[in-house]
C-alpha cells in the first residue's frame, strides 16, 4: 500500500502531504525533511526508486515539483510510478496544463482530487473521465451552496436595511 | 486565482509566498494563527464562509510544517454541518490533520455513521473516504457491517461501492480481529463478477489484503482471477476509459497477479494451464517502446508476471524465458528497468538454481556496482552477494574490496560484513581468506565490526597450517607506520600466538617482533593495549634461548603500565611482570590458545539478523510500535548493521542460554582442565576482550580481585568462579540501613541468610552513572544489567545467572513501572538451570520526569525457602538525557528567557562530597549533562546543558554550579528548563548525585553479613567454582 504521498517543490517546500499510515506531526516533519534532502539531491538520470527505512519511495519530477509516494518494499514500483503519472494527468486535465502555482493556490482542490484517486493508500479509480465527472459534480455542489448563501445574505442585508 | 474562490485564503497564501525568509514566514503564520484563535473563541459570530476559510488556512499552515494545536474541534464540527460545502471541508481537513490514534476522532463516529447509512450519496462518499483514510479501531468496531452492506448492495452506484471496498480494506487491514469475515469468500467471489472496472480494482485490492491473511479461505476466487487476467490480456471487453496508453488497465492486471501470489500453488491443471498461457503471452509480447509511460506500465505488468512465474515455480522453459529477460534488463541503460532487473534476479536466485545462467551477466552486474545511482549500487551489491560461490568468490570479493574505498558511508559496514562472509564461506583456500579479510580490515577498519576479526582468529587458531602464514601477514601489516586499530588488534593477537613459528625467517626474530609490537603499544586504546601486552609476554616466553636484552625491554614495557589507570591493563602488566620472572615456568602458563569448538560464524548469524530485521524494524514493527506508543520517533531506526550488534549478540546468547563469552570461557576452561589458574586467567582475560561482550568490565574487575588475592598455583578454576568467589568486596563500603531498606526487602531471610554480597544500593548507585554492571548478587544468583539508551527510549538486558549447582526454581521477575515510565519486558523463565545465564530484555520508554524508578520484583526458591528482593532499576532521569551542544550565545539567551521559579530553580546544597572541579565535570558527563567549558568567566563555576527526552518531547535543560573554592562541601546549584517539573526533578537528581557520599571508612553491616553468608554457603560457592 501507499504509506504517504508528498509533493515537494525544488526548493524543498511542501505542496501537499497525505498520510495513510499513522505518523505523528513530529514524525511527519522528520520524514519530510529527511526525504526531501535525499530526493532533491539525486541527479536527473537516476532511477525513480529510493530505498528508505525498509520501505521504497517512488518519485518523479514534473517541472519544479517532485511527486513522491512511499510504498512497501515488495510493492510494484513501476505501477506506483504510473499512479503518480495518472494523478498528474488528472490534475492536468482539471486545471488545464497544471503548474505549481495552481497547486499552491488551490491546494484544497488538490486534496479532494487526490481523495478521488486514492483511498486507504490504494488506487481507487483509473478512469480519468470518471474522476473528472465526480470532481465536476462536487464543484457544482459547492458553487451552488455559495450562490445560495449569497442570495440569502442579500435577502438578510436588504431586510435589515 | 478565480478558482480558489476564497479571497482571504488566496491573500494569506500570497503573503506567505512573499516572505523573504523563514522568520518572516513564521511571523506571518503566527499572526494568522492568533487571528484564527480569537475568531474561533467567539464562534457564534462566525459565518459559514469564514469557518471554512479558517479551517483551510489551518490545513495550509499545518502543511507548511507548523504545529497547529487548536482548531481540531472547529474542523470536526463542520462534519456535522448540514450542507455539502461545509461537510466536505470538515471531512477533508480532519483526515489530513489527525491520524487514526487521535482521541478526538471518537467524537465524530456517530455523525460519520449517520452519513454512511443515510440517504445522501455525496455525504456517504465523503464519510467513506475519511474512514478509509484514517479510520482506526473504533471505526472498525462500529462501522464494518454498514460498510460491507454498501459494498454488497446492488442499489448503490459504483462510486459508492468502490469507496466502500477500499474503506472495508482499511478497516480489515487495521483490525482483522474485529471485522467479522464469515461468509466473505462467497461475497468476494460474487464481487469478482463485477463489470465496472473501477469497482473491480477496489475489490481486487481488498482481496489482496484478505488472501494475505487467510489464503486457504479464498480458493474459490482463483478461477475468477485467472478469468479476469485472460480477459484483460486479450483486451476483451475493456472500456476505452480503462485502458492506459493502450494497455488494458495495467493496475488491475498487477493486482490480480498479486492476489494469485498468495496462494501456495495452483494445482487444478486446466486453471494452471490457462494461467501459464496468460503469463507466456505477457512475457512474449512486452516490448520496449518509446513512450515512457506506456513502457513503464507494460513493464509493471511484466515484472509482476515474472514474480508470479517464480512463485508458481513454473515449467522450465517459462523460467528460462524469465532469466533471459532479466539478463536483458540488467544490461539496459534505462535505470528503472535495470534496478528492477537486479532486484528480481536476486529474488530469482532464491527460488531456482540459476546461478550458472546468471553468472553470464557477472560483468554487467559488477559494472552496476559502480553506477552513479545509489539505489542501483545497493541492488547490485545484494545480487553479487547472493550469486557468489566458490567459482567466482575471488573475483567478487576483489570487486567488493575495491568498491569499499569509494562506496558511500551508509553502505560500507554492510559491504565489509558481506565481503568478510563471502570470503570465509567460499574461500578456495584458507590463506586467501586470511589475505582477503586482512586487506578488508586494512582498507575499511572503521567499518569492520569486532566479529569479523574474532572470526579470523578462530579460523587461524583452528588450522595449524595457516598459523605461520597468518603470523607473517600480521607482521607485515603491523610493521607499517599507520595501521588501523582493528588491524593492530588482530595482528597483535596473531603475533603473540604464532610469531614463534616464523623465528627463522629474516626480520622475524623474537626481538624484532617484540619491537614491532612495542612500537604500537603507546598509541592505541586500552583494550588494544591489553591485547598487545599479552602478545609481548607470549613473545618473551617463546624466545629460546632466553635473551637478556629482550627480557629487559619487556620488563620495562610492563613496568610502564604497572600504574596504568585502566585496571585491565594495569593488572596484566603487574601479572606479566611477576610471571616473566619465573623464566621457564612461564611456558606452562602461557601455553598456546586451545582450538575453538566448531561453530557457525557469528557473522552469518549477524547477516541473517540484519536481513531479517531491516525491513521489519522499519515497516511492520514501526507501525506496530506506533500503534502502541506514540513515543517513538521514526528516524531512530537502528542503522542496518551498526547497532544491531548488541542485538545479535543477545539473541545468540538467548538461544543457547549462555552469553557468548561465557560459553567461550567455559569451553576453554573445560578443555584445559589441569592447567594452572593463572593460565586460565590470561586466556580468559584475552578472550573476554576478544569477544568484547556485554559485561566485560564486570568480569574484568572481578578477575582482578581474585588474581591478586588468590595463591598462584591453585588448581583448576575458570574465570566464572571468580564471580562466585568475589566475596571480599573491594569497596567494603555502604551506608547501611536506610539505603538498604529503600532498595531491598528480604523476606523470610532468617533460615538461609541469603544476603547480597554487597549493598544493593551501592550497585544501584554505580549503575546510575554506568550502563552495565551488577544489579544484584547473592551466593546463588547474580543479576547483571546492560542498557542502551536513546532519547526517550531504552533497552535494558537483565542477565540472570545461576551460580548454584542445582537449578534455581520458582524464579519470578516482573518489572513494575511508575506512572511516568512505560516498560515492556520479556518473561523470566521459571527455572534457571545450574550455572546457566538467562537474558531478559526490557524495553523502556520515558513519558515524564520523576525520581521514581522502575522496580524489578524478583524472587526464587532455595530449597523451598523463598528469597524475594525488590531491586530498583536504573531508569533514572539522567538516562533520558542527551548532551546538548549549546553555543555561548544560545546559552545566555535561554538562560535569560527562563526567568525564575518554577522554570529556574536555585538551591544552596550543603554536604557536597568534596571533589575537584574536573571530577565534578566528569560526573556531569557520566550523567549525560554536557559541560560547556569556558562559558562562565569564573573558574569555580560550571555551566552545562542537556536535553531531556520524554514521550515525543525534548526539553533543553541548563545547569549552573557555583562552588566556593574555600569550602568545597557547599555549592549553589541552579537548574532551568521550560518545564517546571523537569527542572525540579533534574535539580533533585543532581543534588542526590553530588551529596550522596559513600562512607568508605565505616565498616558496614552488609559486608559483615555477606561474609557470614559466604561462610555458610562456602561449599556451594566452591562447587560453583568448578564451572
Amino acid at each position: 500500500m501507499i504509506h504517504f504521498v508528498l509533493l515537494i517543490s525544488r526548493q524543498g517546500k511542501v505542496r501537499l502531504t497525505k498520510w495513510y499510515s499513522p505518523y505523528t506531526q513530529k514524525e511527519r516533519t522528520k520524514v519530510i525533511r529527511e526525504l526531501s534532502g535525499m530526493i532533491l539531491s539525486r541527479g536527473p538520470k537516476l532511477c525513480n526508486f529510493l530505498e528508505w527505512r525498509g520501505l521504497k519511495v517512488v518519485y518523479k519530477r514534473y517541472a519544479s515539483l517532485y511527486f513522491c509516494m512511499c510504498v512497501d518494499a515488495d510493492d510494484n514500483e513501476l505501477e506506483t510510478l504510473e499512479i503518480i503519472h495518472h494523478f498528474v494527468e488528472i490534475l492536468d486535465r482539471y486545471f488545464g496544463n497544471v503548474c505549481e502555482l495552481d497547486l499552491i493556490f488551490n491546494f484544497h482542490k488538490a486534496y479532494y482530487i487526490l481523495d478521488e484517486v486514492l483511498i486507504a493508500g490504494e488506487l481507487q479509480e483509473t478512469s480519468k473521465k470518471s474522476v473528472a465527472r465526480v470532481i465536476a459534480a462536487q464543484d457544482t455542489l459547492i458553487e451552488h451552496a455559495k450562490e445560495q448563501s449569497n442570495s440569502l445574505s442579500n435577502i438578510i442585508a436588504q431586510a435589515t436595511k | 486565482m478565480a478558482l480558489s474562490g476564497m479571497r482571504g485564503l488566496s491573500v494569506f497564501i500570497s503573503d506567505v509566498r512573499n516572505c523573504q525568509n523563514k522568520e518572516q514566514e513564521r511571523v506571518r503564520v503566527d499572526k494568522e494563527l492568533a487571528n484564527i484563535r480569537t475568531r474561533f473563541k467567539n464562534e457564534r459570530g462566525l459565518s459559514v464562509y469564514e469557518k471554512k476559510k479558517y479551517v483551510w488556512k489551518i490545513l495550509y499552515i499545518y502543511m507548511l510544517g507548523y504545529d497547529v494545536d487548536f482548531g481540531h474541534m472547529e474542523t470536526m464540527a463542520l462534519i456535522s454541518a448540514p450542507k455539502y460545502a461545509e461537510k466536505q471541508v470538515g471531512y477533508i481537513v480532519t483526515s489530513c490533520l489527525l491520524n487514526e490514534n487521535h482521541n478526538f476522532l471518537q467524537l465524530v463516529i456517530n455523525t460519520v455513521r449517520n452519513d454512511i447509512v443515510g440517504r445522501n450519496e455525496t455525504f456517504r462518499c465523503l464519510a467513506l473516504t475519511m474512514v478509509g483514510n484514517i479510520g482506526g479501531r473504533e471505526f472498525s468496531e462500529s462501522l464494518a457491517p454498514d460498510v460491507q452492506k454498501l459494498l454488497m448492495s446492488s442499489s448503490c452506484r459504483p462510486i459508492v461501492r468502490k469507496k466502500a471496498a477500499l474503506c472495508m480494506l482499511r478497516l480489515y487491514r487495521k483490525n482483522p480481529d474485529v471485522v467479522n469475515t464469515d461468509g466473505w469468500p462467497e461475497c468476494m467471489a460474487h464481487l469478482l463478477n463485477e463489470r465496472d472496472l473501477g469497482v473491480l480494482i477496489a475489490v481486487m485490492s481488498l482481496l489482496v489484503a484478505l488472501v494475505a491473511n487467510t489464503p486457504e479461505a479464498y480458493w474459490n476466487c482463483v478461477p475468477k482471477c485467472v478469468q479476469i487476467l485472460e480477459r484483460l490480456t486479450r483486451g476483451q471487453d475493456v472500456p476505452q476509459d480503462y485502458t492506459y496508453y493502450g494497455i488494458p488497465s495495467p493496475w488491475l492486471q498487477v493486482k490480480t497477479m498479486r492476489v494469485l501470489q498468495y496462494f501456495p500453488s495452483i494445482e487444478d491443471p486446466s486453471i494452471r494451464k490457462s494461467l501459464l498461457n496468460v503469463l507466456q503471452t505477457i512475457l512474449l509480447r512486452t516490448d520496449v517502446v518509446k513512450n515512457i509511460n506506456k513502457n513503464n506500465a507494460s513493464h509493471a505488468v511484466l515484472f509482476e508476471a515474472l514474480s508470479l512465474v517464480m512463485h508458481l515455480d513454473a515449467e522450465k522453459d517459462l523460467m528460462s524465458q524469465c532469466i533471459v529477460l532479466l539478463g536483458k534488463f540488467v544490461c539496459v541503460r534505462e535505470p528503472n528497468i535495470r534496478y528492477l532487473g537486479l532486484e528480481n534476479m536476486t529474488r530469482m536466485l532464491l527460488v531456482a538454481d540459476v546461478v550458472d545462467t546468471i553468472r553470464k551477466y557477472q560483468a554487467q552486474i559488477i559494472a552496476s556496482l559502480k553506477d552513479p545511482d545509489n539505489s542501483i549500487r545497493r541492488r547490485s551489491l545484494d545480487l553479487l552477494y547472493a550469486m557468489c560461490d566458490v567459482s567466482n568468490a575471488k573475483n567478487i570479493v576483489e570487486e567488493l574490496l575495491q568498491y569499499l574505498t569509494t562506496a558511500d558511508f551508509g553502505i560500507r559496514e554492510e559491504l565489509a560484513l558481506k565481503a568478510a562472509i563471502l570470503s570465509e564461506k567460499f574461500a578456495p583456500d584458507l590463506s586467501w581468506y586470511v589475505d582477503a579479510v586482512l586487506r578488508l580490515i586494512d582498507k575499511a577498519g572503521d567499518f569492520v565490526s569486532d566479529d569479523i576479526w574474532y572470526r579470523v582468529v578462530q579460523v587461524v587458531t583452528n588450522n595449524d597450517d595457516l598459523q605461520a602464514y597468518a603470523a607473517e601477514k600480521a607482521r607485515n601489516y603491523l610493521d607499517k607506520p599507520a595501521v588501523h586499530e582493528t588491524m593492530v588488534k588482530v595482528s597483535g593477537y596473531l603475533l603473540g600466538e604464532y610469531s614463534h613459528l616464523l623465528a627463522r625467517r629474516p626480520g622475524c626474530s623474537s626481538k624484532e617482533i617484540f619491537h614491532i609490537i612495542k612500537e604500537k603499544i603507546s598509541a592505541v586504546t586500552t583494550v588494544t593495549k591489553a591485547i598487545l601486552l599479552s602478545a609481548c609476554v607470549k613473545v618473551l616466553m617463546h624466545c629460546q634461548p632466553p635473551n637478556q636484552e629482550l627480557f629487559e625491554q619487556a620488563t620495562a614495557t610492563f613496568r610502564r603500565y604497572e600504574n596504568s589507570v585502566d585496571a585491565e591493563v594495569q593488572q596484566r602488566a603487574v601479572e606479566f611482570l611477576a610471571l616473566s620472572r619465573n623464566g621457564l615456568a612461564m611456558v606452562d602458563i602461557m601455553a598456546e590458545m586451545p582450538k575453538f569448538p566448531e561453530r557457525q560464524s557469528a557473522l552469518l548469524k549477524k547477516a541473517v539478523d540484519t536481513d531479517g530485521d531491516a525491513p521489519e524494524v522499519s515497516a511492520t514493527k514501526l507501525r506496530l510500535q506506533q500503534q502502541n506508543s506514540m513515543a517513538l520517533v521514526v528516524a531512530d531506526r537502528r542503522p542496518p548493521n551498526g547497532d544491531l550488534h548488541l542485538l545479535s549478540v543477545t539473541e545468540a546468547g538467548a538461544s543457547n542460554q549462555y552469553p557468548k563469552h561465557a560459553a567461550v570461557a567455559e569451553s576453554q576452561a573445560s578443555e584445559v582442565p589441569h592447567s594452572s589458574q593463572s593460565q586460565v586467567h590470561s586466556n580468559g582475560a584475552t578472550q573476554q576482550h576478544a569477544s568484547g561482550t556485554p559485561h566485560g568490565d564486570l568480569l574484568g574487575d572481578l578477575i582482578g580481585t581474585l588474581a591478586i588475592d588468590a595463591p598462584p598455583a591453585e588448581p583448576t578454576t575458570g574465570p566464572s568462579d571468580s564471580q562466585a568467589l568475589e566475596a571480599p568486596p573491594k569497596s567494603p563500603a555502604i551506608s547501611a540501613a536506610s539505603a538498604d531498606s529503600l532498595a531491598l526487602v528480604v523476606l523470610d531471610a532468617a533460615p538461609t541468610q541469603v544476603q547480597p554480597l554487597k549493598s544493593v544500593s551501592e550497585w544501584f548507585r554505580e549503575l546510575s552513572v554506568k550502563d552495565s554492571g551488577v544489579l544484584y548478587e547473592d551466593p546463588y544468583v547474580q543479576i547483571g544489567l546492560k542498557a542502551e539508551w536513546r532519547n526517550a527510549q531504552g533497552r535494558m538486558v537483565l542477565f540472570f545467572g545461576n551460580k548454584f549447582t542445582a537449578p534455581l526454581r520458582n524464579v519470578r521477575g516482573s518489572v513494575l513501572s511508575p506512572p511516568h515510565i512505560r516498560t515492556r519486558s520479556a518473561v523470566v523463565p521459571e527455572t534457571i538451570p545450574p550455572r546457566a545465564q538467562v537474558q531478559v530484555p526490557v524495553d523502556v520508554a520515558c513519558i515524564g520526569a520523576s525520581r521514581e524508578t522502575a522496580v524489578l520484583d524478583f524472587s526464587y526458591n532455595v530449597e523451598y525457602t523463598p528469597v524475594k528482593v525488590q531491586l530498583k532499576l536504573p531508569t533514572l532521569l539522567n538516562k533520558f538525557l542527551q548532551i546538548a551542544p549549546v553555543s555561548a550565545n544560545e546559552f545566555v539567551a535561554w538562560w535569560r528567557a527562563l526567568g525564575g521559579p518554577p522554570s529556574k530553580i536555585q538551591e544552596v546544597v550543603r554536604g557536597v562530597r568534596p571533589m575537584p572541579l574536573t571530577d565534578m565535570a566528569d560526573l556531569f558527563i557520566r550523567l549525560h549533562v554536557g559541560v560547556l567549558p569556558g562559558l562562565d568567566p569564573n573558574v569555580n563555576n560550571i555551566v552545562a546543558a542537556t536535553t531531556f527526552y520524554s514521550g515525543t518531547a525534548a526539553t533543553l535543560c541548563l545547569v549552573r554550579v557555583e562552588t566556593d573554592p574555600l569550602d568545597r562541601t557547599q555549592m549553589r546549584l541552579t537548574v532551568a528548563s521550560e518545564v517546571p517539573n523537569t527542572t525540579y526533578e533534574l535539580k533533585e537528581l543532581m543534588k542526590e548525585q553530588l551529596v550522596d557520599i559513600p562512607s568508605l571508612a565505616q565498616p558496614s553491616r552488609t559486608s559483615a553479613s555477606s561474609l557470614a553468608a559466604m561462610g555458610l554457603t562456602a561449599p556451594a560457592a566452591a562447587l560453583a567454582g568448578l564451572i
Side-chain angles (χ1 to χ4, degrees), chain B residues 492-541:
Chain B
Y493 186 95
L494 291 174
L495 285 180
E497 291 297 323
Y498 306 115
S499 62
H500 60 279
L501 302 173
L502 306 176
R504 285 166 210 285
R505 301 187 198 180
C508 295
S509 69
S510 294
K511 251 165 80 183
E512 283 155 308
I513 297 284
F514 181 84
H515 186 71
I516 292 172
I517 296 175
K518 206 188 81 183
E519 283 286 282
K520 299 290 178 212
I521 206 164
S522 55
V524 292
T525 61
T526 47
V527 179
T528 318
K529 273 199 178 82
I531 295 173
L532 291 186
L533 283 177
S534 296
C536 287
V537 81
K538 291 210 170 192
V539 171
L540 178 65
M541 171 198 68

Side-chain angles (χ1 to χ4, degrees), chain A residues 1 20 22 25-28 30 42 47-49 51 53 56 74 76 82 89 112 120 122 125, chain B residues 62 133 162 170 173 242 244-245 258 304 336 339 343 373 375 379 618 626 632-634 952:
Chain A
M1 69 173 274
Y20 298 102
Q25 163 72 6
K26 218 170 169 191
E27 292 158 0
R28 292 177 182 188
K30 208 163 180 184
R42 277 173 69 87
C47 71
N48 295 92
F49 320 128
E51 286 159 40
R53 295 197 203 156
K56 264 188 192 149
D74 58 352
N76 190 316
E82 289 318 287
E89 281 187 340
Y112 63 69
E122 300 286 349
E125 183 53 81
Chain B
Y62 182 79
N133 286 339
K162 69 190 177 200
R170 162 125 194 158
R173 195 187 264 157
Y242 286 93
Y244 182 79
Y245 290 90
R258 191 43 73 98
E304 203 62 45
N336 286 341
Y339 174 92
E343 186 181 37
D373 188 340
S375 302
R379 284 297 114 235
S618 44
Q626 278 166 353
L632 191 93
V633 182
V634 186
T952 50

Side-chain angles (χ1 to χ4, degrees), chain B residues 648-915:
Chain B
S648 64
V649 168
T650 320
E651 274 167 19
S655 62
N656 59 8
Q657 302 250 319
Y658 284 96
K660 203 166 57 177
H661 81 277
V664 171
E666 192 187 59
S667 64
Q668 280 176 5
S670 59
E671 275 181 31
V672 204
H674 297 296
S675 53
S676 80
Q677 185 193 11
S678 309
Q679 182 204 342
V680 181
H681 267 175
S682 69
N683 282 356
T686 318
Q687 194 51 48
Q688 179 199 331
H689 272 276
S691 52
T693 37
H695 33 210
D697 55 342
L698 186 163
L699 272 177
D701 286 353
L702 300 174
I703 290 166
T705 327
L706 195 71
I708 295 159
D709 291 352
E714 195 180 81
T716 336
T717 39
S720 22
D721 69 322
S722 49
Q723 277 179 36
L725 285 176
E726 199 256 12
K730 281 184 292 177
S731 45
I734 306 55
S735 55
S738 66
D740 274 4
S741 64
L742 245 180
L744 172 78
V745 186
V746 180
L747 288 184
D748 198 6
T752 41
Q753 290 285 326
V754 177
Q755 288 280 337
L757 299 184
K758 261 168 84 177
S759 154
V760 172
S761 55
E762 178 68 13
W763 281 317
F764 175 75
R765 251 180 53 82
E766 275 171 24
L767 282 173
S768 63
V769 289
K770 265 167 52 175
D771 281 340
S772 62
V774 181
L775 181 68
Y776 172 78
E777 183 169 12
D778 65 24
Y780 300 98
V781 71
Q782 184 195 44
I783 307 178
L785 180 141
K786 170 140 179 103
E788 264 190 312
W789 306 94
R790 179 176 296 152
N791 299 350
Q793 307 270 320
R795 185 186 177 90
M796 297 188 285
V797 182
L798 295 170
F799 301 83
F800 294 91
N802 178 2
K803 308 189 328 194
F804 199 41
T805 46
L808 280 187
R809 298 193 190 281
N810 256 345
V811 181
R812 297 234 158 72
S814 54
V815 178
L816 316 171
S817 44
H820 73 286
I821 281 179
R822 233 180 266 161
T823 57
R824 196 168 46 195
S825 81
V827 182
V828 181
E830 204 164 280
T831 313
I832 305 178
R835 298 191 207 103
Q837 196 179 46
V838 184
Q839 306 187 356
V840 178
V842 183
D843 289 326
V844 187
C846 170
I847 304 161
S850 164
R851 259 160 307 156
E852 272 181 79
T853 63
V855 171
L856 173 68
D857 199 351
F858 176 70
S859 60
Y860 66 95
N861 277 12
V862 184
E863 292 162 357
Y864 308 110
T865 315
V867 181
K868 187 169 164 54
V869 287
Q870 290 203 324
L871 303 163
K872 291 207 284 177
L873 294 171
T875 58
L876 283 164
L877 174 68
N878 63 307
K879 304 291 183 186
F880 305 104
L881 297 177
Q882 257 177 24
I883 292 177
V886 174
S887 74
N889 290 339
E890 281 170 327
F891 188 94
V892 174
W894 277 102
W895 190 257
R896 291 219 177 101
L898 298 165
S903 300
K904 190 195 270 176
I905 311 183
Q906 195 164 69
E907 184 177 329
V908 175
V909 185
R910 292 183 209 287
V912 177
R913 166 170 38 146
M915 56 179 140

Side-chain angles (χ1 to χ4, degrees), chain B residues 261-536:
Chain B
Q261 285 170 59
Y262 283 104
F263 293 97
S265 73
I266 293 167
E267 301 296 348
D268 185 313
S270 68
I271 296 177
R272 190 178 165 94
K273 189 160 168 254
S274 16
L275 180 58
L276 291 179
N277 276 338
V278 171
L279 293 173
Q280 175 81 56
T281 322
I282 297 175
L283 293 189
L284 281 184
R285 80 167 173 210
T286 308
D287 268 327
V288 178
V289 290
K290 248 201 170 147
N291 181 307
I292 184 155
N293 297 107
K294 181 169 185 175
N295 208 28
N296 283 343
S298 64
H299 281 82
V301 174
L302 177 60
F303 276 109
E304 203 62 45
L306 282 172
S307 299
L308 185 52
V309 171
M310 286 185 236
H311 173 77
L312 291 173
D313 202 6
E315 279 70 17
K316 265 262 156 56
D317 54 331
L318 209 51
M319 280 298 240
S320 53
Q321 279 180 40
C322 288
I323 297 171
V324 171
L325 275 174
L326 288 175
K328 207 169 87 190
F329 293 153
V330 297
C331 305
V332 297
R333 286 207 21 220
E334 213 281 301
N336 286 341
I337 304 290
R338 184 145 48 96
Y339 174 92
L340 293 171
L342 291 167
E343 186 181 37
N344 282 283
M345 209 177 241
T346 316
R347 226 180 264 170
M348 178 69 104
L349 274 170
L350 296 176
V351 293
D353 185 22
V354 288
V355 184
D356 293 330
T357 336
I358 288 179
R359 201 171 300 138
K360 280 192 270 179
Y361 307 104
Q362 190 170 314
Q364 282 87 353
I365 298 167
I366 286 176
S368 282
L369 195 59
K370 293 158 189 155
D371 197 90
D373 188 340
N374 186 14
S375 302
I376 289 182
R377 288 198 301 264
R378 218 160 235 292
R379 284 297 114 235
S380 154
L381 171 62
D382 268 11
L383 178 53
L384 284 174
Y385 179 68
M387 67 187 278
C388 191
D389 61 13
V390 185
S391 68
N392 55 12
K394 268 190 174 175
N395 199 340
I396 288 180
V397 171
E398 180 60 36
E399 287 296 337
L400 295 187
L401 287 179
Q402 272 186 19
Y403 174 44
L404 246 178
T405 38
T406 53
D408 32 301
F409 286 87
I411 204 177
R412 280 196 196 179
E413 185 166 359
E414 189 186 342
L415 192 61
L417 182 68
K418 289 195 161 157
I421 291 174
L422 291 181
S423 45
E424 177 187 338
K425 209 165 150 194
F426 301 115
D429 58 274
L430 285 172
S431 53
W432 176 81
Y433 161 72
V434 172
D435 277 351
V437 178
L438 289 182
R439 265 181 65 205
L440 173 71
I441 296 175
D442 187 37
K443 280 193 160 179
D446 284 341
F447 303 94
V448 171
S449 63
D450 283 345
D451 283 330
I452 293 179
W453 79 262
Y454 298 164
R455 190 64 188 162
V456 178
V457 168
Q458 285 175 16
V459 171
V460 173
T461 310
N462 287 5
N463 292 283
D464 299 331
D465 45 343
L466 201 58
Q467 292 165 352
Y469 180 79
E472 189 182 358
K473 280 274 162 193
R475 184 212 165 276
N476 293 343
Y477 273 114
L478 203 59
D479 202 16
K480 289 183 186 168
V483 190
H484 192 272
E485 175 107 9
T486 310
M487 183 59 96
V488 178
K489 285 183 192 167
V490 63
S491 307
Y493 186 95
L494 291 174
L495 285 180
E497 291 297 323
Y498 306 115
S499 62
H500 60 279
L501 302 173
L502 306 176
R504 285 166 210 285
R505 301 187 198 180
C508 295
S509 69
S510 294
K511 251 165 80 183
E512 283 155 308
I513 297 284
F514 181 84
H515 186 71
I516 292 172
I517 296 175
K518 206 188 81 183
E519 283 286 282
K520 299 290 178 212
I521 206 164
S522 55
V524 292
T525 61
T526 47
V527 179
T528 318
K529 273 199 178 82
I531 295 173
L532 291 186
L533 283 177
S534 296
C536 287

